[in-house]
């Protein structure tokens, strides 16, 4: 590039061989039942996705654009869809693209998902994203408007969310667990209460 152009050259270089070596090493030390997904918001470059694809269990996407990039790599690889403020048409397209899980972040979004899945007559697994309010957890730096606010449901709304999922009218959305984001506190078993000894985190 430098030989072909005079002056300064700006280039974003990817060491794909090192990336492949690194992901293999990470995968080799994970607990047996752990599945590793790559959040493509970190870097959605096609070469990176193709390099990671054979060594991970799937991808996490936050938009239809990201989902299309993953489906260009593979039509079948598992995909977690966890975008914020997901609209009905986005839910519909995500289901039609065969995502494995949709992470819901509000009661309204959960009701939307149930409605869309019913209209499409399609089953879908879901995780409820919750905001833990333990004082040991770090404060989020995400700011949309006003004071910083994390995505997800507050802990005290999860009971209502579970009740909605268990309602007889819900025949297609299947609860699989919780989506918890707690930064580096994920390494502290004490942050998750007396039952934390049963959990493993890496």
């Amino acid at each position: 590039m430098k030989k072909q152009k005079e002056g300064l050259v700006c280039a974003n270089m990817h060491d794909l061989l090192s990336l492949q070596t690194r992901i293999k090493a990470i995968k080799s030390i994970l607990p047996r039942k752990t599945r590793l997904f790559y959040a493509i918001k970190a870097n959605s470059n096609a070469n990176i996705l193709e390099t990671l694809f054979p060594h991970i269990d799937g991808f996490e996407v936050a938009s239809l654009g990201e989902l299309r990039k993953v489906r260009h790599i593979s039509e079948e690889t598992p995909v977690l869809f966890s975008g914020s403020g997901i609209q009905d048409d986005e839910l519909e397209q995500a289901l039609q693209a065969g995502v494995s899980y949709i992470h819901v972040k509000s009661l309204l979004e959960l009701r939307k998902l149930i409605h869309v899945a019913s209209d499409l007559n399609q089953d879908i697994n879901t995780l409820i994203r919750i905001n833990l309010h333990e004082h040991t957890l770090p404060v989020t730096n995400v700011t949309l408007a006003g004071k910083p606010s994390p995505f997800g449901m507050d802990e005290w709304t999860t009971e209502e969310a579970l009740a909605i999922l268990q309602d007889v009218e819900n025949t297609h959305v299947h609860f699989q667990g919780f989506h918890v984001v707690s930064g580096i506190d994920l390494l502290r078993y004490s942050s998750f209460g007396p039952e934390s000894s049963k959990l493993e985190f890496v």
Side-chain angles (χ1 to χ4, degrees):
M1 290 175 63
K2 184 65 176 176
K3 291 178 180 179
Q4 295 172 358
K5 180 180 178 182
E6 295 183 2
L8 298 176
V9 173
C10 180
N12 187 0
M13 311 295 289
H14 298 135
D15 186 345
L16 299 179
L17 182 59
S18 294
L19 176 61
Q20 187 178 63
T21 300
R22 177 65 174 166
I23 199 65
K24 286 181 179 180
I26 293 173
K27 183 74 173 177
S28 69
I29 63 173
L30 291 176
R32 183 172 56 86
K33 294 184 179 181
T34 301
R35 289 188 294 167
L36 180 63
F37 287 73
Y38 175 71
I40 77 167
K41 65 174 69 69
N43 192 323
S44 62
N45 179 276
N47 291 326
I48 289 179
L49 301 185
E50 290 173 356
T51 298
L52 293 173
F53 170 62
H55 309 290
I56 60 177
D57 297 295
F59 295 90
E60 185 267 342
V61 304
S63 68
L64 292 177
E66 291 182 353
L67 177 57
R68 284 189 284 270
K69 289 183 178 182
V70 169
R71 284 294 176 245
H72 183 72
I73 302 297
S74 170
E75 290 292 331
E76 298 181 353
T77 190
V79 174
L80 313 179
F81 193 92
S82 60
S84 60
I86 306 175
Q87 301 302 311
D88 291 26
D89 62 324
E90 293 176 303
L91 290 172
E92 183 176 335
Q93 291 182 59
L95 288 172
Q96 292 172 336
V99 300
S100 303
Y101 292 84
I102 290 183
H103 299 190
V104 294
K105 292 156 292 301
S106 70
L107 297 176
L108 175 60
E109 192 169 282
L110 177 57
R111 292 189 176 97
K112 285 182 179 180
L113 178 59
I114 291 172
H115 174 73
V116 171
S118 178
D119 281 353
L120 294 176
N121 192 27
Q122 185 171 336
D123 288 345
I124 183 66
N125 294 320
T126 189
L127 298 174
I128 296 175
R129 179 161 177 170
I130 58 174
N131 300 323
L132 298 180
H133 288 269
E134 295 288 340
H135 296 301
T136 57
L137 298 180
V139 176
T140 179
N141 291 319
V142 177
T143 304
L144 297 180
K147 65 179 183 180
S149 176
F151 302 124
M153 302 183 196
D154 290 319
E155 291 176 73
W156 46 84
T157 65
T158 55
E159 187 173 336
E160 184 176 354
L162 293 174
I164 293 172
L165 285 162
Q166 293 168 359
D167 191 279
V168 293
E169 294 185 2
N170 173 36
T171 56
H172 292 82
V173 179
H174 308 291
F175 173 68
Q176 296 296 316
F178 295 101
H179 174 185
V180 179
V181 177
S182 56
I184 59 173
D185 254 72
L186 203 58
L187 300 176
R188 299 182 194 165
Y189 295 116
S190 60
S191 299
F192 292 86
E195 298 299 315
S196 60
S197 60
K198 298 178 182 178
L199 305 175
E200 290 187 79
F201 300 93
V202 173

